Amino acid sequence: MKVSDILHAKGSNVLTVTRSDTVAKAVDILGEHNIGVVLVLGDVGELCGILSERDIVRRLRESGSSALEGAVGKCMTPDPFTCDMEATVDELMGIMSQKRIRHMPVVDGGKLVGMISIGDLVKRKIEQAEREAAAMREYIAS
């Protein structure tokens, strides 16, 4: 299964902030939508970073509550790992496990088209295992 299949099923809506937005604004978006990351866009709409709950917690630890008034650009992880629409579930699981990341933006021709989470990948692997088990039961029963 490829990333394109997952995005087709789950949709490609991605919440974003800009580098100059405040961390407080990003926190509002995370809380309002019950999500763990937002993607960060640069001056001309290009993907330039990812801001996670972990990034925010690290900044709060360093700077206290004043971190919330700072710019997302000073808190985000710049140049996030990305994948394209042709990447497979197995490839991404390996990369995400090795790099210890839970979210990966999807780009197509340099344009942001979606985001894949480790949860999306695990869900697809479970579905695949269930289909294979059902096929095996069917085969044995016939």
Side-chain angles (χ1 to χ4, degrees), residues 118-137:
I118 194 70
D120 297 327
L121 302 177
V122 169
K123 178 180 177 184
R124 294 326 184 274
K125 288 297 273 187
I126 290 170
E127 289 170 354
Q128 179 183 5
E130 289 172 346
R131 282 192 305 274
E132 290 171 359
M136 186 63 73
R137 284 191 296 275

Side-chain angles (χ1 to χ4, degrees), residues 58-95:
R58 276 194 293 273
R59 183 60 62 164
L60 285 169
R61 182 175 176 270
E62 293 169 1
S63 305
S65 63
S66 65
L68 295 172
E69 299 312 313
V72 166
K74 296 202 183 278
C75 188
M76 70 181 188
T77 299
D79 303 317
F81 292 100
T82 63
C83 66
D84 62 27
M85 299 287 273
E86 296 301 308
T88 67
V89 168
D90 290 334
E91 289 169 345
L92 291 185
M93 287 187 87
I95 293 167

Side-chain angles (χ1 to χ4, degrees), residues 38-120:
V38 291
L39 297 181
V40 183
L41 302 180
D43 299 331
V44 292
E46 78 282 9
L47 176 67
C48 66
I50 189 167
L51 180 69
S52 70
E53 295 165 322
R54 288 179 182 176
D55 294 324
I56 295 167
V57 167
R58 276 194 293 273
R59 183 60 62 164
L60 285 169
R61 182 175 176 270
E62 293 169 1
S63 305
S65 63
S66 65
L68 295 172
E69 299 312 313
V72 166
K74 296 202 183 278
C75 188
M76 70 181 188
T77 299
D79 303 317
F81 292 100
T82 63
C83 66
D84 62 27
M85 299 287 273
E86 296 301 308
T88 67
V89 168
D90 290 334
E91 289 169 345
L92 291 185
M93 287 187 87
I95 293 167
M96 292 172 97
S97 294
Q98 179 187 28
K99 303 293 183 188
R100 298 179 48 87
I101 56 176
R102 294 182 287 176
H103 298 87
M104 189 175 292
V106 181
V107 294
D108 187 25
K111 182 181 175 205
L112 178 64
V113 295
M115 185 160 42
I116 296 294
S117 72
I118 194 70
D120 297 327

